[in-house]
Amino acid sequence: PMHKITNPHDKFFKEVMSYIEIVRDFLMQYLPPEKARHLDFETLSAEKDSHIGEDLRELFSDLIFRVKLRNEETDAYVLFEHKSAIDKPVGLQLLKYMTAIWGKALSLDPSSPLPIIIPIVFYHGNRKWTISTDFDGLFETGKEHYGAYRRQIPSYEYLLYDFSSTKHEPIRGTKKLRIFLGITRAIFEEEKEVFIETVLDAMKAFDELRGTVGNEEYFEAYIRYLFYARTDLEQEELKERIKTVSMERSEKMLTIAEKLLQEGMEKGMEKGMKKGMEKGMEKGLAKGIIKGREEGREEGREELLWKQITKKFPQIPQRYYEKLKALTIDQLDTLGLDLIDMRSEEELKRHLPI
């Protein structure tokens, strides 16, 4: 089993945005020209955790970049917030972050003017972003009283880039950027073939980038993202499809997939060991360690077998996982072998205790 990452989309976004050349290329390609022409992109650098308090850090993707304004000594900031689902209060989230940046700037030099901040929402959910990008969209702007107090309410607009599978934004930029934008747009794609074609295009691009700095780390992050974010991926099928464009990428993908599986097994072992050791405190430490190892192995098998079952019978109810967990290691092994020839859920249910 590949142990779950809480938010694989956010993790992948952060990993990719750690490559400054990808961020630079994105801003140069996608910022409106009247904004881009004031920025000296060669000076772009990442700001690390320096503007946000512990209490706010969990709320944000914490991706801030500093860039010099052309022909001036002043810096501007670019603030990215990543979303894989529509989130109405994002305007307020960004404002909290912006005030934290301004607060930090004032504490360093109370006499200087506040820096410009460009807030960006990068979105790629499974439907089009439909909410207002204006902060005042969070208020009842249609009510009569709103006009009277409008000047007392902060007003700003964040830049929205909608890479949802509705194919709203065109994809452009260098190979590295196009790999990233392609998969973020296709990750929720319902037509599997469209998704696979996107992956194959990326495999060709990774091959062409062979030998460039960070390429293999980027490739591993990409493959991990595929397996963590899509539940309908058959390792064998993907291997065969990738092989049609690149034997090398197919083999590397397999190595990473096996590593993920191993990490999942180890996590299962670890959980089982912990459980067993806690019980073993009462019945003797040695007994507990043995039990922990057994439970770890069993839990690893259960998770792997359940993944295989849900791939074969996608409609199987979740409650059957609980029944699966009641089986012994021998029964799990028998079920695993019989599963290959099963044609219906009824056959599967006969193996599970009622």
Side-chain angles (χ1 to χ4, degrees):
M2 292 163 193
H3 64 277
K4 283 193 177 165
I5 296 286
T6 317
N7 187 338
H9 309 290
D10 200 45
K11 185 177 191 300
F12 182 61
F13 182 75
K14 284 182 182 175
E15 284 173 333
V16 174
M17 298 301 260
S18 69
Y19 294 96
I20 199 77
E21 75 270 26
I22 296 180
V23 183
R24 182 183 293 119
D25 190 34
F26 178 83
L27 294 172
M28 289 169 74
Q29 294 289 342
Y30 286 95
L31 271 185
E34 71 276 9
K35 298 187 195 305
R37 69 189 179 88
H38 293 289
L39 304 175
D40 180 359
F41 290 109
E42 290 308 307
T43 65
L44 187 75
S45 63
E47 287 283 292
K48 299 286 181 198
D49 290 342
S50 52
H51 294 89
I52 201 78
E54 284 296 329
D55 54 332
L56 289 180
R57 189 161 290 131
E58 283 307 301
L59 289 176
F60 301 100
S61 55
D62 202 12
L63 286 168
I64 310 175
F65 297 87
R66 184 197 289 253
V67 61
K68 286 215 172 302
L69 290 164
R70 282 190 190 282
N71 308 319
E72 293 188 40
E73 287 306 301
T74 324
D75 289 341
Y77 292 91
V78 182
L79 168 60
F80 280 96
E81 185 59 33
H82 161 260
K83 294 290 173 191
S84 52
I86 291 173
D87 185 12
K88 193 176 179 185
V90 69
L92 182 58
Q93 278 192 344
L94 288 164
L95 187 60
K96 280 186 188 176
Y97 217 163
M98 287 154 75
T99 54
I101 294 170
W102 286 323
K104 181 74 181 265
L106 278 181
S107 70
L108 293 173
D109 184 357
S111 64
S112 68
L114 293 177
I116 298 289
I117 302 172
I118 306 161
I120 292 175
V121 171
F122 183 100
Y123 168 70
H124 66 112
N126 56 6
R127 57 200 178 101
K128 194 174 172 180
W129 187 274
T130 49
I131 59 174
S132 170
T133 54
D134 281 305
F135 180 65
D136 62 11
L138 293 170
F139 294 87
E140 293 182 300
T141 51
K143 292 285 176 79
E144 187 188 338
H145 67 259
Y146 180 79
Y149 303 108
R150 191 172 58 81
R151 297 283 294 145
Q152 281 65 57
I153 293 167
S155 176
Y156 83 93
E157 181 186 27
Y158 54 83
L159 299 177
L160 172 74
Y161 295 94
D162 181 349
F163 288 95
S164 54
S165 47
T166 50
K167 301 171 184 57
H168 183 65
E169 285 278 359
I171 284 180
R172 51 185 186 265
T174 58
K175 278 194 186 80
K176 283 185 179 177
L177 178 61
R178 292 202 311 272
I179 288 169
F180 168 57
L181 297 179
I183 194 59
T184 50
R185 192 168 73 180
I187 202 72
F188 293 112
E189 177 60 63
E190 286 174 15
E191 288 182 44
K192 195 173 174 187
E193 191 50 38
V194 175
F195 171 74
I196 296 284
E197 286 298 329
T198 304
V199 173
L200 297 185
D201 285 345
M203 294 304 108
K204 291 177 207 165
F206 275 120
D207 250 5
E208 288 161 15
L209 289 164
R210 189 195 294 109
T212 59
V213 176
N215 189 51
E216 298 314 312
E217 291 82 355
Y218 187 9
F219 178 71
E220 179 161 343
Y222 184 96
I223 295 298
R224 282 175 175 268
Y225 181 48
L226 297 189
F227 282 114
Y228 283 138
R230 292 284 293 214
T231 54
D232 60 346
L233 275 191
E234 290 281 357
Q235 189 178 301
E236 197 57 34
E237 178 197 2
L238 194 61
K239 182 189 85 173
E240 291 306 316
R241 293 297 300 274
I242 293 175
K243 209 185 271 185
T244 63
V245 296
S246 168
M247 186 63 85
E248 183 190 348
R249 291 295 138 194
S250 175
E251 285 167 8
K252 286 189 170 180
M253 182 280 290
L254 213 54
T255 306
I256 295 163
E258 281 163 6
K259 196 155 74 169
L260 288 179
L261 202 59
Q262 186 59 35
E263 284 171 13
M265 294 289 273
E266 282 168 10
K267 200 164 171 76
M269 288 274 283
E270 203 179 295
K271 265 166 88 180
M273 288 266 285
K274 191 165 179 273
K275 216 158 137 188
M277 281 176 76
E278 281 164 3
K279 289 180 184 173
M281 293 293 278
E282 295 157 23
K283 296 183 180 177
L285 196 56
K287 246 173 146 183
I289 289 172
I290 292 163
K291 190 159 186 183
R293 285 190 183 132
E294 285 169 0
E295 287 187 4
R297 280 201 297 275
E298 198 165 330
E299 190 163 343
R301 287 188 203 196
E302 286 161 9
E303 287 181 24
L304 184 57
L305 193 50
W306 182 246
K307 197 170 176 67
Q308 290 167 333
I309 288 169
T310 51
K311 277 185 180 167
K312 187 152 190 168
F313 304 115
Q315 304 304 317
I316 194 85
Q318 183 67 28
R319 66 175 184 275
Y320 283 100
Y321 184 43
E322 294 308 313
K323 296 182 177 184
L324 180 77
K325 292 202 299 201
L327 300 180
T328 64
I329 287 185
D330 289 343
Q331 288 170 322
L332 288 170
D333 284 347
T334 306
L335 174 55
L337 289 169
D338 290 355
L339 183 65
I340 300 161
D341 300 313
M342 281 184 198
R343 292 285 170 269
S344 72
E345 289 181 21
E346 287 311 310
E347 288 180 65
L348 171 67
K349 286 172 190 174
R350 286 202 286 273
H351 278 268
L352 300 171
I354 302 306

